Amino acid sequence: MILLSELFDIQSVSGDESSMTKFLINLILQRKDTWKVVPTVYVGEEFHDCILLKFGNPRTAVFAHIDTIGFMARYENQLIAVGGPELEDGVELVGEDSLGPVFCKLKIVEENLFHDFPRAIGRGTCLSFAQNLRIDETFIQGAYLDNRLGIYNALQLCEDLEDGWVVFSTYEEHGGGSMPFLLKFIMENAPVKQALISDITWVTDGVEHGKGVAISIRDRYIPRRAFINKVIDLANKSGVAYQLEVEDVGGSDGREVQFSNYALDWCFIGAPEDHVHSPNEKVALYDLECMIGMYKYLMAHL
Amino acid sequence: MILLSELFDIQSVSGDESSMTKFLINLILQRKDTWKVVPTVYVGEEFHDCILLKFGNPRTAVFAHIDTIGFMARYENQLIAVGGPELEDGVELVGEDSLGPVFCKLKIVEENLFHDFPRAIGRGTCLSFAQNLRIDETFIQGAYLDNRLGIYNALQLCEDLEDGWVVFSTYEEHGGGSMPFLLKFIMENAPVKQALISDITWVTDGVEHGKGVAISIRDRYIPRRAFINKVIDLANKSGVAYQLEVEDVGGSDGREVQFSNYALDWCFIGAPEDHVHSPNEKVALYDLECMIGMYKYLMAHL
Amino acid sequence: MILLSELFDIQSVSGDESSMTKFLINLILQRKDTWKVVPTVYVGEEFHDCILLKFGNPRTAVFAHIDTIGFMARYENQLIAVGGPELEDGVELVGEDSLGPVFCKLKIVEENLFHDFPRAIGRGTCLSFAQNLRIDETFIQGAYLDNRLGIYNALQLCEDLEDGWVVFSTYEEHGGGSMPFLLKFIMENAPVKQALISDITWVTDGVEHGKGVAISIRDRYIPRRAFINKVIDLANKSGVAYQLEVEDVGGSDGREVQFSNYALDWCFIGAPEDHVHSPNEKVALYDLECMIGMYKYLMAHL
């Protein structure tokens, strides 16, 4: 799990993902020759901070977003949210501006957000939760399991993937915006019919820790039932433990597949977490294992 | 009106429209050789559950959505909405899961939705209002006039249409998502300059039963005034009764035309209904007649 | 400033921009041969009411929206909003319907909007604030500084622009819809990597009158930080006064660049105003000067 702790130490608030992109591209370039199939790698300014890997002849694309929720410095010690972070007074935040590292606490006064750093923080500086990663025999807990575990799953998948796109997207926590150009590139270069969203979902009264990966029938958006049925049929054959999710809120990169210019089916598949968008997101290691197993099976059989 | 009652008995909740697609494609294949112009038919997996008919050399495309609002089974007898159904305690719902047909009632407890079926319903099962279609000399009343009457209008139009696209879209009641790829296909194969939305609107304090088809100047979205003026000019020449609608809420497939990648004008034209999104939607037959007459005139003259 | 007062007298409520388009195209055709580089002009039905000017070999596109907020006549003396106008009882509104000019006052009764015109106003007629333009040595004040000053800035830029797109967009105040097809045309004809949004922003507790043009690090949407950093670096070199804006509400044509099908960076740059979306919008002339200076510098150096 050494990879995991490195992955968790990088700041990558929506809009400011370049550090994560550099980390990932280095990792991919180091590892790709050991993978069963060596992918074509697409990265650089024309893809902003996204990375696309094309393995063999893709039928399915996997998307894992590399950004996280966070905060941005406004004026006079004010903070504003990036995405939807859990707001808890006193939580520790970290970042860096032109004067150096920033380490402060979130202060909530009458629903307005402030920091307690002794000096002004440069306008527009991104802050995120201080990391405190804890792994025991059963659980992993810390900030940004959403979506560092989705990235981890995608990287594990790369090891023996034969055909498929593995794509690292940006901006997801704050409305999206990279998916349309990523989908255009995919569909014009090696088109697919279906997409899987490698992301983390919620523990609810129907989805529990330790019961397997969640296959989402819907969140705020509704993917095409004909495809979901095909996924569930394969999941039954896979032997991997899974749970069916039915929610009416929440979204993912799947939303942008749904509203894209292409007739693309999509399904969100991911381990559930507790304490969503807080510094204490918590996922059962068994569910993460099931997530990896399910992706390996589906990418081979879809 | 035999066609109508068949049309009304098919379940087609947003995301799960395949039964309606099968019904329509059978009907189209049986009838198309009797139509004045035999259209090219586009259907199949690459169009998901949508159908496109191309007649002659299209200048205008007509869109009728084939999905309906409804409900989906969640966990522990909970239901969640698909689209925006009217919520009335005790209303009858129907559907089918892996164990067989489902027939139950909607129960509302402190704004949460439940069903009263004696057994658990499979997660993600779609339910919709039990149909109870009533037609007398003046009105048609039942579930899903929105948008079964829009489909009916489109099919009537096919009989003597010379030039145009007639398109059956999906997902409209739950945010859309098929329009972008349908528009892309149309614009890359036989491009048009304008679109008419064949859908059902609302009786309000300015739009009444029996006063003719409604031509919408705006709903939540605002089409280009230059085009609306052209439509109204033609409507005046048509001799068909119509009413002008001006609303600031509500949307349709027109929204996705507005925000598409193409400079396409659009206008919503449809009969008004009472008791929207309930099992008792009610439309005046005269307004439906005017809708059909107006579409025939506009598709010939626009 | 003669151009300015003409610009301010034209009605151009979202959806009904054709008068402004005519005014602008006449102006452009009269002036373009005096500009340093004569642009290719794209205008006409295939661009709806938008205008695109291509200068040299574009690297960057500038967008200025030509529509304004306003009102629309509904039924029985009711009005509904177009975009988000400030609602103040008794404010003067002007427009024209088939019976002639309309001049009336806005009446607000229990949050519902009415007009006091002695006769009915044609359904769907657009109304906007009566103009009362005031210019002194320090400030310009009146209706629609947003976005007549953005248009003015774009026209000033044309005078010595060598390479770039200058684009006049529509519908911006009411959700947008022209940007997707404008971007498609640009990217398929003379593609760019970046976009600047020539629009007017807000005076807030961090952005003041007379402190220079605002460069927006974010509004409701977050552009890519790597590009914003590049803009700020150039702004520092430009010698032009500027202020950094960090907001979590508000949007612009930049939103549609963010969610477009292209990997396009964007940044909103504009003078701040007080009394937003009222008949008394107020901008410091110095900030307008800085806006023009900054655009000239950035378009040459980006």
Side-chain angles (χ1 to χ4, degrees), chain A residues 21-38:
Chain A
T21 309
K22 277 178 206 133
F23 173 80
L24 282 175
I25 197 65
N26 279 336
L27 190 83
I28 289 162
L29 293 178
Q30 280 167 27
R31 295 194 175 190
K32 75 183 169 67
D33 295 323
T34 70
W35 292 340
K36 184 168 177 182
V37 170
V38 179

Side-chain angles (χ1 to χ4, degrees), chain B residues 109-233:
Chain B
V109 181
E110 291 172 1
E111 298 191 356
N112 294 305
L113 309 180
F114 300 90
H115 66 78
D116 69 352
F117 203 51
R119 65 164 170 86
I121 302 177
R123 287 187 183 187
T125 301
C126 287
L127 302 176
S128 52
F129 294 133
Q131 186 56 278
N132 175 18
L133 197 64
R134 291 144 283 170
I135 305 179
D136 65 20
E137 283 166 31
T138 316
F139 289 103
I140 177 168
Q141 187 161 21
Y144 314 131
L145 303 214
D146 168 8
N147 188 31
R148 300 302 158 91
L149 294 183
I151 297 171
Y152 180 70
N153 174 58
L155 290 170
Q156 292 298 106
L157 177 64
C158 287
E159 292 185 0
D160 45 18
L161 182 62
E162 296 189 14
D163 299 303
W165 285 96
V166 173
V167 183
F168 299 96
S169 67
T170 55
Y171 315 139
E172 192 267 353
E173 294 288 5
H174 199 86
S178 66
M179 289 294 287
F181 71 75
L182 292 169
L183 289 168
K184 185 173 195 289
F185 184 80
I186 288 168
M187 296 306 285
E188 291 179 357
N189 284 275
V192 296
K193 290 188 182 301
Q194 49 216 359
L196 301 181
I197 310 304
S198 175
D199 200 347
I200 298 302
T201 185
W202 307 334
V203 167
T204 61
D205 47 355
V207 174
E208 302 169 46
H209 281 311
K211 296 281 182 76
V213 63
I215 296 176
S216 182
I217 295 179
R218 61 169 285 185
D219 48 28
R220 182 167 162 199
Y221 304 96
I222 303 179
R224 195 166 67 114
R225 192 49 189 260
F227 179 64
I228 298 299
N229 288 345
K230 190 195 287 187
V231 169
I232 294 173
D233 282 351

